[in-house]
Amino acid sequence: ELELEVPAVVQIAALMGVGLLYQGSAHRLMTEVMLDEIARPPTNELLACRESYALTAGLSLGMLALGRGSDAAGLADLLLEDKLGNYMHGKELAPTWVGSSDLAGVQSSTRSSAPPIASRCCRIREGPLVNVDVTAAGATLALALVFLKSNNASVASQFRVPTSTYELHCVRPDLILLRVTARNLIMWD
């Protein structure tokens, strides 16, 4: 069996292509895939451009459900606002890459919760928390595009900007700019 390594730039372009191909369709499978790709664990082949990959996955997810907001049929159970909020603020544990638990919290016996050995990164070992330096920009843009012009105040409240000097030092300036832009895209009127 011949295994080809696809360059990272081609993978990133393919993510954007998926977003363009399924633009506005709220395709369930592609939405799930892009949601997982934003928080993809580090791998050796995507090591140099991990932030670009997560940002492109976020843009692609945003284009998939462009302006659909909470009205996207079949996507309500994905809890997009909550998961993307966690990717922006790092509140909860990162999703498992290969396996996931079902609604009852029981781990599926046929799937493993750790990534396979071949897809692990030999240089970076991240803990169980979401790396917001990688996921925040993509999640912010995804949430902004999904709720574009919806005037949804509850979603817009997730884009809070720092109110103290201490908080200002905890959030990167580019993420503050993205939050302000995203909030205004949602609260269009």
Side-chain angles (χ1 to χ4, degrees):
E1 182 175 303
L2 181 64
E3 187 175 320
L4 299 174
E5 286 191 29
V6 180
V9 176
V10 175
Q11 291 180 25
I12 292 171
L15 285 178
M16 187 55 85
V18 167
L20 291 170
L21 181 65
Y22 290 99
Q23 183 178 359
S25 69
H27 190 273
R28 168 77 183 207
L29 177 63
M30 291 298 117
T31 302
E32 286 180 33
V33 168
M34 291 305 143
L35 191 59
D36 287 341
E37 293 299 311
I38 293 173
R40 184 177 184 177
T43 59
N44 291 328
E45 68 268 359
L46 291 176
L47 191 59
C49 55
R50 214 169 137 214
E51 292 86 5
S52 302
Y53 189 87
L55 180 66
T56 306
L59 282 170
S60 183
L61 173 60
M63 287 190 296
L64 276 164
L66 186 64
R68 302 294 286 277
S70 302
D71 299 334
L75 298 182
D77 63 324
L78 288 180
L79 305 172
L80 285 177
E81 305 96 59
D82 296 335
K83 288 181 181 177
L84 291 172
N86 290 336
Y87 292 166
M88 285 189 308
H89 304 295
K91 294 178 187 173
E92 292 186 6
L93 299 177
T96 55
W97 179 245
V98 174
S100 60
S101 22
D102 60 11
L103 294 176
V106 178
Q107 185 72 22
S108 174
S109 61
T110 59
R111 295 183 269 174
S112 169
S113 63
I117 302 280
S119 68
R120 291 183 187 161
C121 184
C122 65
R123 294 186 215 162
I124 296 177
R125 177 159 186 218
E126 289 185 342
L129 298 178
V130 172
N131 185 349
V132 293
D133 288 328
V134 174
T135 61
T140 302
L141 288 176
L143 201 55
L145 291 174
V146 169
F147 288 90
L148 182 69
K149 296 183 181 181
S150 68
N151 295 311
N152 189 328
S154 67
V155 174
S157 69
Q158 290 196 31
F159 300 107
R160 55 189 172 275
V161 294
T163 56
S164 69
T165 306
Y166 174 74
E167 289 176 350
L168 191 61
H169 290 291
C170 294
V171 182
R172 293 185 345 218
D174 61 324
L175 296 179
I176 294 172
L177 176 66
L178 276 176
R179 287 180 186 183
V180 170
T181 305
R183 182 176 180 0
N184 288 311
L185 285 173
I186 292 172
M187 302 301 286
W188 190 262
D189 295 334

